[in-house]
């Protein structure tokens, strides 16, 4: 049997999990998935099209990969200069 404090803590954790899901996981924005790390490593300080980023990272340029790029742009981790992507700290564009 759990104490009232443990029950309250569990309820808070459950609510936080629900809020995180509703907000699109905004609490985890600072964390990168393994694929996202590969994308950033492949891009380095270059400007590349999405297709070239996928090729350099060793992934297929499909809908999932495009969604990863979009997510990185929305989070400010990448910049989309159309048609190329770059790291905002690369010095290759104006931010």
């Amino acid at each position: 049997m759990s104490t009232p404090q443990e029950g309250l803590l569990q309820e808070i954790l459950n609510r936080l999990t629900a809020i995180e899901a509703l907000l699109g996981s905004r609490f985890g924005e600072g964390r990168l998935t393994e694929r996202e790390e590969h994308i950033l490593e492949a891009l380095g300080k270059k400007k590349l099209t999405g297709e070239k980023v996928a090729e350099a990272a060793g992934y297929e340029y499909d809908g999932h990969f495009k969604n990863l790029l979009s997510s990185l742009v929305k989070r400010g981790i990448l910049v989309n200069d159309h048609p190329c992507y770059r790291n905002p700290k690369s010095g290759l564009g104006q931010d």
Side-chain angles (χ1 to χ4, degrees):
M1 193 177 279
S2 65
T3 68
Q5 291 85 5
E6 290 172 331
L8 180 60
L9 180 58
Q10 186 59 51
E11 180 61 28
I12 291 169
L13 290 173
N14 291 343
R15 288 183 184 194
L16 284 173
T17 300
I19 291 168
E20 183 178 15
L22 288 171
L23 293 176
S25 192
R26 299 205 49 104
F27 294 117
E29 282 187 356
R31 292 183 229 132
L32 296 175
T33 65
E34 186 175 333
R35 254 189 172 195
E36 289 171 334
E37 288 177 9
H38 290 162
I39 289 169
L40 295 179
E41 289 170 12
L43 190 57
K45 294 189 179 212
K46 302 174 284 224
K47 281 177 103 170
L48 298 173
T49 63
E51 293 92 343
K52 293 291 184 185
V53 175
E55 182 181 319
Y59 296 109
E60 186 176 332
Y61 187 64
D62 57 10
H64 181 68
F65 192 84
K66 292 176 187 178
N67 286 338
L68 287 172
L69 291 175
S70 176
S71 172
L72 290 168
V73 169
K74 287 177 187 173
R75 291 161 50 197
I77 298 169
L78 287 184
V79 174
N80 185 351
D81 284 337
H82 300 285
C84 293
Y85 293 87
R86 65 179 170 84
N87 183 319
K89 298 173 186 166
S90 67
L92 296 173
Q94 297 176 354
D95 292 312

